[in-house]
Amino acid sequence: METPEVIEYFFESFATESMESINSDTRKPTFPGSLTDLHRFRKTAHGHDGSSRIVMVRKTDQRIFANIKNGEEPTLETVTRETIETFRGQRTECKVTTEKKDFEPKCPPEIIQALATRTAKKPSGVRKKRNPPMDFAAECLLAHNEYRKRHGVPPLKLNKEICRVSQQWADHLIRKGAMVHSNNKDYGENLFMMQSSNPNFTVSGGEAVNKWYDEIKLHVFGVEPASLASGHFTQVIWKESKELGVAFAKNGGKVIVVANYYPPGNYVGNFAKNVPPPGGVPSSFHNNNNVAEVTGNLNRLSLGSRGSTKDLHLATEGNFEEDFLEAHNNYRKRHGVPPLELDKSMSKVAEEWAKYLASKNKLEHRPQSNYGENIYCLYSSDSNFKINGNTPVDSWYEEIKNHVFSREPSDLKSGHFTQVIWKSSKSVGVGVAKSREGSIYVVANYSPAGNFVGHFQENCPPIKPQFYGLDVPSKTCENSPISGSTPTSGAATNKNEEIDVIAFEQEVLKVHNEYRRKHGVPDLVLDAELCEFTQDWAETCARTASLQHRANNKYGENIFCMYSSDYSHVPTGRDAVKEWYDEIKSHNFSSDRVPQGSLHFTQVIWKNSKYLGVGIAKNKKGQTYVVCNYEPKGNFVGQFAENVPKLRS
């Protein structure tokens, strides 16, 4: 059986003559004796002066094929084709083509060698047919997971159903020739488009992901973003997203890529938790059940040497130790357990370990410690970023949601919280250090140590009904879906006793609903439990003198602060809500993009929000903080058009 052609040589010559000078001698060129003698003849033409005209064109080409049969030496086949074409003016009058084949049994050794080399390189077997859509999806998934691995978050899995949803939207966009997000509430979404004048242009699965990830240069880690300029990047590595659907559509040289994620990412208030920096946040930051063992003797380490840590004043703000102790004791008071005292010698021990963690830039517990221990790490790409004494304690205490008070815990998911309020602990020490990479490490030591199995119920009592120890009337929220009255969460502390909390809540509710009716959306209802939750954060803001959103908040949230040199001044509920609503002048109702300049306004009138929580608190600096929480939360990407209607005429 003959193999397909392997080596091809091509000879071509042109001759143009007048009819009077046709040369009938068209000898076949002889095959050269050496492979290096093979060459392509240049085109040649000759004509006459203006009184003559070309009446005939002769074209001769010759091809030589090297063919081989199984078990036999290769042979050469020469095919000579000659075409003679005559013209009358510009039109063809006659065209004749002849073809001749010759065989030569002797094949030059150079060609035999070339045949052997090319046959050896030829791949064996049948090539698998390529499936472009699946190849693209697999490449896209691989690119996602390579980037997610950099940040220490779990890989995504490809979901065929989500891929189908992505394909439908990609097909829709390519037909419309537009780049707009879908209104799908179930998935997060990234879009990408590239266009070329080449109709055969296409993109690989990794190109779109690379483009989205490039927004990392716009992202500041450790804080909630002021805008979604890095929104594609944050969705790519969003920790809680588990599944991916991806598809592309093509029209000529235009390619559109759609990626959908489940669960969706980019929730306001959840960025710090879900978008860790490159290298990730060690698991012990979230769960001290995952304790890494440290080898070697700590006494032999040169802690903080050679510039491994930065000066403490560069990492903290305010009176860190006092604020840290006060935050502990405020939380302990809620549970009716005695306050802690600050122990300087324990603080030195804690600082040693904090410096060690900063020098290694990792988060792990000290092995064989004589004290109870809580550790905390916070990273920011802002080199001037600082931490106050309340932040780590607030983070540890938030684990209360993982704790069951009626029994011994089966794990230590709430271990930081239980150590904060452990009744038998009497003293605390704290140390802070900052690594060269920008991570701030906080270590707290407690004596006697807490978290002993079999002693949780006696040492971790639940919240007392009136943990401030004040004779405060309970507040009842009218129209609340929860029956009965709920005790106040402490708005009427000594410095806030001039505030009529119930009247303030009702005024905030009234003003909200006045504005919502202007846009034709349903009224909000005051919720007692949500009010208590909100009041707690208002007091945290007042205590820390910082206007910041609650981390990992499952509710929508608006916050407001007013300062007055008259410390008795209290802003009205209308002052706060009007400040938020006035952002309407910055809102573009014709766009469904995230309106960075009007997010307070959009949450006020968000159609799907049904319940409202209100909190207000003052501090000794003359600052008043107002917080509102909304359930369900608003400001979801892709849902602004349907939830933020225009003013009614």
Side-chain angles (χ1 to χ4, degrees), residues 217-232:
K217 57 181 176 286
L218 305 175
H219 191 75
V220 179
F221 293 96
V223 296
E224 292 299 304
S227 70
L228 278 182
S230 59
H232 296 97

Side-chain angles (χ1 to χ4, degrees), residues 52-249:
S52 302
R53 63 188 177 87
I54 300 174
V55 295
M56 188 274 289
V57 173
R58 182 179 66 217
K59 178 181 178 182
T60 302
D61 63 270
Q62 190 175 76
R63 298 172 186 262
I64 301 174
F65 304 91
N67 295 315
I68 186 170
K69 295 181 180 179
N70 291 334
E72 298 182 9
E73 291 187 3
T75 59
L76 293 181
E77 178 185 354
T78 303
V79 178
T80 305
R81 177 175 295 175
E82 184 176 72
T83 300
I84 299 176
E85 192 170 9
T86 60
F87 295 85
R88 182 178 297 279
Q90 299 296 323
R91 299 176 58 185
T92 299
E93 190 172 71
C94 181
K95 182 177 182 180
V96 179
T97 301
T98 59
E99 185 175 287
K100 182 180 178 181
K101 295 183 179 180
D102 291 316
F103 296 91
E104 292 190 25
K106 278 291 187 179
C107 188
E110 296 92 339
I111 295 180
I112 295 175
Q113 180 64 33
L115 279 172
T117 303
R118 294 185 59 168
T119 303
K121 292 182 179 179
K122 182 178 179 181
S124 60
V126 179
R127 293 186 65 184
K128 186 177 179 181
K129 186 177 179 182
R130 193 170 187 263
N131 184 346
M134 283 309 297
D135 284 352
F136 179 87
E139 291 172 1
C140 195
L141 176 67
L142 178 63
H144 272 85
N145 288 338
E146 286 178 350
Y147 283 129
R148 291 173 69 87
K149 188 176 181 180
R150 291 186 189 181
H151 295 259
V153 299
L156 298 173
K157 294 182 179 179
L158 207 60
N159 183 301
K160 291 184 179 180
E161 175 60 25
I162 304 178
C163 285
R164 186 186 64 79
V165 173
S166 301
Q167 188 65 62
Q168 289 177 346
W169 190 245
D171 293 339
H172 171 77
L173 295 180
I174 206 72
R175 287 196 303 269
K176 297 294 184 181
M179 281 285 285
V180 293
H181 283 282
S182 66
N183 291 322
N184 196 319
K185 302 176 183 179
D186 297 325
Y187 306 118
E189 188 174 72
N190 276 349
L191 303 180
F192 171 84
M193 183 183 75
M194 186 172 285
Q195 192 166 2
S196 171
S197 57
N198 178 8
N200 298 319
F201 170 78
T202 188
V203 298
S204 69
E207 286 183 75
V209 187
N210 294 340
K211 190 69 175 177
W212 295 329
Y213 186 85
D214 280 347
E215 292 179 1
I216 187 175
K217 57 181 176 286
L218 305 175
H219 191 75
V220 179
F221 293 96
V223 296
E224 292 299 304
S227 70
L228 278 182
S230 59
H232 296 97
F233 156 70
T234 52
Q235 178 59 88
V236 166
I237 69 162
W238 193 263
K239 184 178 181 180
E240 291 180 353
S241 294
K242 307 296 182 188
E243 295 179 307
L244 171 70
V246 64
F248 74 94

Side-chain angles (χ1 to χ4, degrees), residues 41 243 274 332 454 483 486 490 518 635:
F41 291 100
E243 295 179 307
N274 280 281
R332 291 173 68 87
S483 60
T486 305
K518 290 183 179 182
N635 291 342

